[in-house]
């Protein structure tokens, strides 16, 4: 019996085997809204301001084109197996219930159907299809591929920090409020507050009608069934309906489905029924499409912005940063949706990583934040990861000596919102970076403290502060708390990189990054200085030389093992 005949008579069920990706690409292309005129004007204003700070004799520029993912045909995968068909039928039962109650989210539901089916197909293709030989980029002459790092060896035991609940935010995001009891909830609430200062959409502290209510889906995955879903719909959502509430159910169901698929194939691998390779069969287009539901509705945004191109680009590149940090543990535990493990050329992966860095830089400019509500996502993501110890930022960032800053393509990567990364494509530009002629008073105080306490690191730190203020303008943050954070994260890592490499020292910095996050994270909620502090920390954690974030892009294959997934 064909797999299609076993599925409900939904539009996605009429596809030929393995064609879910193409249908999802068509649906996404139809729904995406082009960049707003206001956003385009703000981007132009930022670039014009920065161009005025670059010397006309500073050197030549290099451009690197990035093809829009929706322009590329997604890879065709094998159809789901019998167990996959059963999981998809169970998912459809719940989705049909939601759609009957809330037809407003029919598009969201179809995205969930197609994404879940594509996930099933990709896993089966990974298990049964011989791995493709990656288009090796070792001889690629582009400035990014020449700078790809050599990754350290890692094992599953190195990743006990990669858990969503509890530590390291032991003092919680809000010192006097107890409901934020996990780093996931803390990060989401923080991002919403950053967005909500001017345009209060009621999302800042409200938990009852958006996805934060349903983050427990990932904690109690085994108890999710139709009965529980019905109870949620009838007892809670029907009383106080919002579109985000229904989307939360869709997202929660997808999270449950994704984890069940992951664990099914890991059990098959562990039993010897199949042998999973370290790589996965996702192409550039397949990767981008598969990620969208995994993050599209987990980040609350106004309904008018949900399908905006600039919003979707930010979501995708935030996921790229997450995958960069988690590449080794994803390889060990078998999660399929990691871009560095994907079956695409290393050059493409390097372009995506560079796009993420370019967006972090753009997020440090004041022009980036006025046109849309959900514009702090990238900057808060990189800071949150750095201050939870969950990021490989410090853990994998301790290198044997610092790479030269002279003619560094990553230092000279220009800020870019990369809005066309899904649709028409984008172009990265590498040209000598702008620098502020002088530091403002509070930034100069940070520089002076570094010179007094860490004279070997001061020259680099001072240069990065000048580069940051060129992007951001004069900084008006909290000098004391920001210095304490930078001293124990970025500066500590630079100091360690200047000495002999040491895994123990790397682990110490990683753990202390979580500790200082626990101590100081609440300061980033300050209405007067929180955004200023977040912008500077995002720059130092994601963009500043020696680019510890870029050092997270390397991957060294090891054996596939592990029996848990998280995050």
């Amino acid at each position: 019996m064909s797999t299609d005949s076993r599925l409900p008579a939904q539009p996605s069920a009429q596809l030929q085997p393995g064609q879910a990706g193409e249908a999802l690409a068509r649906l996404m292309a139809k729904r995406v809204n082009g960049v707003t005129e206001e956003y385009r004007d703000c981007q132009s204003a930022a670039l014009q301001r920065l161009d005025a700070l670059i010397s006309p004799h500073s050197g030549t520029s290099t451009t690197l084109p990035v093809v829009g993912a929706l322009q590329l045909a997604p890879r065709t995968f094998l159809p789901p197996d019998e167990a996959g068909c059963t999981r998809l039928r169970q998912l459809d039962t719940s989705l049909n219930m939601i759609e009957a109650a809330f037809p407003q989210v029919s598009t969201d539901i179809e995205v969930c159907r197609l994404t879940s089916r594509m996930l099933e197909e990709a896993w089966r293709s990974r298990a049964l299809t011989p791995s493709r030989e990656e288009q090796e980029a070792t001889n690629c002459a582009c400035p990014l591929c020449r700078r790809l790092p050599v990754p350290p060896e890692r094992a599953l035991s190195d990743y006990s920090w990669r858990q969503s609940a509890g530590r390291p935010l032991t003092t919680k995001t809000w010192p006097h409020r107890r409901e934020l009891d996990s780093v996931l909830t803390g990060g989401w609430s923080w991002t919403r507050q950053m967005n909500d200062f001017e345009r209060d959409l009621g999302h800042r502290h409200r938990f009852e009608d958006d996805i934060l209510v349903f983050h427990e889906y990932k904690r109690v995955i085994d108890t999710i069934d139709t009965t529980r879903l019905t109870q949620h719909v009838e007892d809670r959502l029907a009383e106080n309906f919002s579109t985000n509430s229904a989307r939360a159910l869709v997202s929660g169901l997808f999270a449950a489905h994704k984890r069940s698929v992951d664990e099914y194939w890991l059990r098959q691998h562990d039993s010897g029924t199949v042998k999973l390779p370290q790589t996965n069969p996702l192409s550039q287009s397949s990767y981008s499409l598969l990620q969208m539901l995994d993050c599209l509705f987990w980040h609350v945004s106004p309904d008018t912005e949900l399908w905006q191109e600039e919003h979707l680009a930010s979501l995708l590149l935030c996921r790229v940063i997450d995958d960069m940090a988690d590449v080794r543990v994803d390889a060990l535990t078998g999660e399929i949706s990691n871009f560095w493990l994907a079956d695409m050329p290393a050059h493409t992966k390097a372009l995506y990583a560079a796009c993420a860095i370019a967006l972090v830089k753009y997020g440090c400019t004041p022009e980036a934040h006025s046109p849309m509500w959900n514009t702090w996502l990238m900057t808060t993501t990189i800071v949150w990861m750095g201050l939870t110890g969950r990021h490989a930022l410090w853990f994998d960032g301790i290198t044997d000596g610092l790479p030269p800053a002279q003619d560094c393509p990553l230092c000279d990567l220009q800020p870019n919102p990369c809005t066309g990364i899904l649709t028409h494509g984008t172009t990265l530009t590498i040209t000598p970076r702008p620098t502020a002629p002088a530091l403002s008073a509070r930034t100069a105080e940070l520089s002076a403290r570094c010179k007094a306490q860490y004279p070997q690191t001061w020259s680099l730190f001072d240069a990065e502060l000048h580069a940051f203020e060129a992007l951001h303008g004069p900084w008006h943050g909290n000098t004391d708390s920001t210095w304490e954070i930078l001293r124990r994260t970025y500066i500590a890592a630079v100091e360690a990189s200047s000495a002999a490499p040491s895994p123990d020292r790397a682990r110490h910095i990683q753990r202390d990054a979580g500790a200082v996050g626990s101590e100081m994270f609440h300061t980033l909620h300050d209405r007067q200085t929180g955004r200023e502090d977040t912008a500077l920390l995002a720059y130092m954690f994601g963009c500043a030389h020696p680019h510890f974030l870029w050092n997270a892009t390397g991957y060294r294959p090891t054996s596939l093992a592990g029996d848990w997934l998280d995050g």
Side-chain angles (χ1 to χ4, degrees):
M1 183 179 293
S2 70
T3 54
D4 286 337
S5 65
R6 300 179 63 86
L7 298 176
Q10 298 296 334
S12 57
Q14 308 306 315
L15 301 170
Q16 294 298 312
Q19 297 298 311
E22 291 186 12
L24 183 57
R26 290 193 299 270
L27 178 60
M28 291 292 297
K30 181 179 179 180
R31 292 296 281 120
V32 172
N33 297 321
V35 179
T36 63
E37 191 66 31
E38 183 183 8
Y39 198 89
R40 190 177 291 109
D41 289 346
C42 288
Q43 180 184 351
S44 297
L47 296 179
Q48 290 176 10
R49 178 176 59 81
L50 294 172
D51 286 345
L53 296 174
I54 301 177
S55 167
H57 309 293
S58 57
T60 60
S61 298
T62 299
T63 57
L64 296 170
V66 184
V67 179
L70 296 182
Q71 295 183 13
L72 304 171
R75 189 161 293 160
T76 299
F77 299 132
L78 295 174
D81 63 4
E82 291 291 322
C85 290
T86 299
R87 286 189 294 269
L88 289 170
R89 286 198 304 273
Q90 293 170 344
L91 175 68
D92 258 306
T93 299
S94 297
L95 291 177
N96 289 339
M97 293 171 55
I98 298 174
E99 190 167 21
F102 310 120
Q104 297 92 329
V105 295
S106 59
T107 298
D108 311 47
I109 287 170
E110 185 62 9
V111 170
C112 184
R113 287 192 179 105
L114 291 169
T115 305
S116 298
R117 181 164 172 173
M118 182 179 170
L119 180 70
E120 295 276 5
E121 294 172 350
W123 264 110
R124 188 163 184 242
S125 299
R126 181 191 193 186
L128 301 181
T129 305
S131 296
R132 298 168 182 245
E133 289 294 327
E134 183 184 272
Q135 302 175 37
E136 291 293 340
T138 52
N139 297 322
C140 179
C142 87
L144 298 179
C145 291
R146 290 201 307 266
R147 207 173 181 85
L148 289 177
V150 177
E153 293 183 1
R154 295 296 184 205
L156 190 63
S157 59
D158 293 324
Y159 289 88
S160 60
W161 54 272
R162 188 188 180 261
Q163 298 192 35
S164 299
R167 295 184 306 159
L169 295 184
T170 52
T171 58
K172 312 299 185 281
T173 303
W174 301 93
H176 307 295
R177 300 179 62 160
R178 299 184 61 82
E179 71 269 23
L180 300 183
D181 61 353
S182 77
V183 294
L184 276 180
T185 306
W188 275 323
S189 177
W190 176 39
T191 300
R192 293 192 304 172
Q193 174 169 304
M194 295 285 280
N195 291 325
D196 231 16
F197 277 149
E198 285 88 23
R199 301 183 215 176
D200 187 353
L201 301 183
H203 292 327
R204 193 183 311 166
H205 306 307
R206 196 173 70 216
F207 291 79
E208 67 273 11
D209 76 334
D210 58 46
I211 52 90
L212 292 183
V213 173
F214 298 101
H215 70 274
E216 73 268 16
Y217 271 115
K218 303 191 79 175
R219 312 236 192 275
V220 289
I221 233 70
D222 293 334
T223 68
I224 298 177
D225 54 26
T226 304
T227 301
R228 175 171 176 154
L229 178 64
T230 305
Q231 182 178 348
H232 270 295
V233 172
E234 293 180 351
D235 296 347
R236 190 160 199 166
L237 298 181
E239 294 178 2
N240 187 18
F241 169 75
S242 76
T243 302
N244 278 336
S245 299
R247 287 198 179 111
L249 284 172
V250 176
S251 298
L253 286 170
F254 176 73
H257 186 88
K258 182 177 185 297
R259 184 156 183 169
S260 67
V261 179
D262 292 349
E263 292 181 341
Y264 169 78
W265 286 106
L266 285 179
R267 286 194 299 268
Q268 297 283 89
H269 174 82
D270 189 56
S271 68
T273 305
V274 299
K275 183 174 178 58
L276 294 173
Q278 287 272 290
T279 57
N280 71 55
L282 301 180
S283 63
Q284 181 178 353
S285 178
S286 300
Y287 168 80
S288 301
L289 290 168
L290 185 58
Q291 297 299 352
M292 291 318 297
L293 186 64
D294 209 23
C295 57
L296 186 60
F297 309 125
W298 290 105
H299 299 283
V300 178
S301 66
D303 197 50
T304 54
E305 295 182 8
L306 184 66
W307 296 100
Q308 281 299 135
E309 189 173 3
E310 49 266 53
H311 178 222
L312 299 178
S314 177
L315 293 178
L316 177 60
L317 292 176
C318 281
R319 181 65 194 210
V320 167
I321 278 188
D322 188 68
D323 286 347
M324 288 165 66
D326 287 344
V327 59
R328 295 176 188 86
V329 75
D330 284 347
L332 288 164
T333 61
E335 185 166 351
I336 197 170
S337 56
N338 187 294
F339 95 109
W340 207 258
L341 305 178
D343 201 16
M344 66 176 85
H347 175 70
T348 301
K349 300 169 188 172
L351 284 176
Y352 267 46
C355 283
I357 291 175
L359 180 56
V360 174
K361 289 188 177 184
Y362 183 70
C364 293
T365 66
E367 293 88 350
H369 301 296
S370 58
M372 295 184 69
W373 183 81
N374 200 11
T375 56
W376 283 93
L377 184 58
M378 178 59 87
T379 40
T380 55
T381 294
I382 194 67
V383 174
W384 170 76
M385 295 178 80
L387 290 182
T388 57
R390 189 176 185 271
H391 203 319
L393 217 59
W394 323 121
F395 181 46
D396 284 341
I398 310 305
T399 57
D400 185 7
L402 297 182
Q406 184 74 20
D407 299 322
C408 172
L410 297 172
C411 288
D412 292 338
L413 188 66
Q414 296 302 293
N416 191 328
C418 301
T419 49
I421 195 169
L422 279 174
T423 53
H424 57 277
T426 190
T427 300
L428 297 176
T429 302
I430 298 173
T431 193
R433 67 181 181 180
T435 184
L439 295 179
S440 61
R442 297 192 186 186
T443 317
E445 172 63 21
L446 294 177
S447 178
R449 292 188 187 189
C450 184
K451 188 173 185 179
Q453 298 179 41
Y454 303 97
Q456 290 185 317
T457 299
W458 171 75
S459 177
L460 173 61
F461 184 68
D462 183 73
E464 293 302 329
L465 291 178
H466 279 79
F468 167 74
E469 287 213 319
L471 290 173
H472 177 272
W475 182 72
H476 303 288
N478 184 323
T479 305
D480 291 336
S481 61
T482 302
W483 170 250
E484 181 65 9
I485 292 171
L486 289 174
R487 180 182 70 81
R488 293 164 61 179
T489 52
Y490 177 76
I491 291 175
V494 170
E495 291 270 311
S497 295
S498 301
S502 167
D504 291 339
R505 188 167 57 252
R507 177 59 63 86
H508 170 76
I509 293 171
Q510 182 214 19
R511 287 174 173 165
D512 197 48
V516 74
S518 177
E519 297 164 15
M520 310 298 294
F521 195 65
H522 68 277
T523 65
L524 301 180
H525 291 78
D526 187 279
R527 291 183 62 88
Q528 300 299 317
T529 60
R531 284 180 169 179
E532 295 284 292
D533 299 346
T534 299
L536 178 54
L537 293 174
Y539 179 84
M540 288 296 181
F541 290 0
C543 311
H545 192 82
H547 299 98
F548 293 110
L549 176 59
W550 183 259
N551 285 346
T553 59
Y555 165 63
R556 179 179 299 179
T558 54
S559 60
L560 184 70
D563 58 5
W564 60 270
L565 295 170
D566 184 79

